[in-house]
Amino acid sequence: MFTRAITRKPCRALIDGITTAMFGEGTPDYDLAVQQHDNYVKTLRNLGLEVLDLAADERFPDSCFVEDPAVVMPECAIITNPATDSRNGEKFEIIDAIKQFYKDDQIFHIEAPGTMEGGDVMLVDRHFYVGQSDRTNAEGFKQFADIVGRFGYEATAVPVTEGLHLKDFVIYLEKGNMLVSPKMNEEPAFAEYTKFVIDPDELYAINSMNINGTVLVPEGFPKTLKIIEDLGYPTIVLNNSEFSKIDGSLTCLSLRF
Ligand code: CIR
């Protein structure tokens, strides 16, 4: 059960965010991004979460994607080590927010040469699956597994070969149900789960977000929406178009705990 979230307002420099255009072409419209972000925060608040919405930080174009510089769980928070030069400094900026909710001895760090971004980290009950991607390396995984192991969590590394982060290609809903890309459907680490394979033309909607039993789904993906509705979930559809242009999905925009 989530009770809180941390978000950060998009900055004007968002238009210079890193992108492979894996989900959409074009430059984000700043004003529209602000509107979409406001709506995202409002939606989390309507679902009962207390949201700390941090001020925009113009030094870091991608800083609204707060999921990447930290990984949070009830027992501790792990400040990651983002892999790209333009994002690495975000780890210093998220700490003040984290310190409002975690004591110093509950805060851990991924250290170089380890790299990690939270978009690669997916929790299933007490088991973390960690993408091995351009952003999270084997050393980052090793440090992470060691930290969470102290709190009784298991951790398994999963190769990510299709694009940016693990959670762009697999998302856990609950009760053993996962939304997966056709490729992740073949991943041995997920053999035991019930997988719903998302059409290649709707891959962006894999990153839907279960908040306490209501699933937030990006707008424009009717086949995925139907799969989620047929599973019995109430859904809320959110337009995330401006973030998708710089490879940002729904979960990227918050830390939830
Ligand atoms: C980046 O390339 O780092 C950003 N433009 C997008 C980050 C998306 N974050 C996420 O999936 N957790």
Side-chain angles (χ1 to χ4, degrees):
M1 184 84 183
F2 298 122
T3 57
R4 295 183 185 282
I6 299 172
T7 56
R8 186 184 290 285
K9 294 181 193 302
C11 56
R12 288 186 180 276
L14 174 85
I15 57 171
D16 298 320
I18 307 168
T19 187
T20 62
M22 65 175 179
F23 294 129
E25 306 272 325
T27 305
D29 177 303
Y30 167 73
D31 293 316
L32 189 52
V34 168
Q35 265 179 41
Q36 292 177 352
H37 192 268
D38 282 349
N39 193 36
Y40 180 93
V41 170
K42 198 172 80 194
T43 303
L44 295 183
R45 287 187 174 137
N46 286 343
L47 289 169
L49 270 58
E50 203 169 303
V51 183
L52 173 62
D53 190 22
L54 302 168
D57 188 338
E58 291 295 341
R59 294 166 302 166
F60 300 106
D62 286 297
S63 52
C64 59
F65 301 121
V66 287
E67 179 177 63
D68 293 321
V71 177
V72 290
M73 61 205 84
E75 298 86 350
C76 72
I78 300 175
I79 309 297
T80 66
N81 191 26
T84 62
D85 289 346
S86 71
R87 299 205 62 188
N88 189 259
E90 291 175 32
K91 67 187 178 193
F92 301 115
E93 304 309 318
I94 201 72
I95 291 181
D96 288 343
I98 293 291
K99 281 189 169 166
Q100 296 187 32
F101 307 105
Y102 293 88
K103 299 196 210 84
D104 285 353
D105 65 0
Q106 291 178 294
I107 302 175
F108 298 85
H109 298 264
I110 302 297
E111 313 275 2
T115 64
M116 167 167 273
E117 295 182 358
D120 276 318
V121 179
M122 181 174 78
L123 181 61
V124 178
D125 304 324
R126 301 285 296 175
H127 194 144
F128 281 104
Y129 292 91
V130 180
Q132 298 289 266
S133 67
D134 289 347
R135 303 294 181 87
T136 301
N137 64 16
E139 173 61 21
F141 168 72
K142 189 168 157 285
Q143 293 178 26
F144 181 87
D146 177 58
I147 297 163
V148 298
R150 295 177 219 173
F151 300 101
Y153 291 93
E154 283 183 76
T156 299
V158 179
V160 177
T161 55
E162 307 171 75
L164 186 58
H165 289 130
L166 179 73
K167 280 186 294 188
D168 292 317
F169 305 104
V170 51
I171 209 91
Y172 184 61
L173 291 175
E174 61 178 357
K175 297 184 184 150
N177 294 328
M178 286 179 171
L179 305 181
V180 291
S181 66
K183 199 161 187 182
M184 278 297 169
N185 191 35
E186 306 301 323
E187 168 53 48
F190 302 133
E192 69 188 270
Y193 298 102
T194 307
K195 297 183 286 295
F196 296 87
V197 183
I198 301 305
D199 265 22
D201 63 346
E202 292 206 356
L203 288 188
Y204 184 69
I206 290 174
N207 191 287
S208 291
M209 183 164 85
N210 184 353
I211 299 291
N212 301 336
T214 298
V215 180
L216 280 51
V217 185
E219 187 175 302
F221 302 95
K223 289 178 273 190
T224 310
L225 182 65
K226 181 161 186 327
I227 289 173
I228 297 169
E229 285 174 345
D230 287 350
L231 280 165
Y233 291 103
T235 54
I236 298 174
V237 173
L238 291 180
N239 189 342
N240 217 37
S241 63
E242 301 317 290
F243 301 102
S244 73
K245 291 174 183 172
I246 50 171
D247 298 351
S249 308
L250 286 176
T251 66
C252 321
L253 289 171
S254 59
L255 286 165
R256 304 153 298 278
F257 54 110

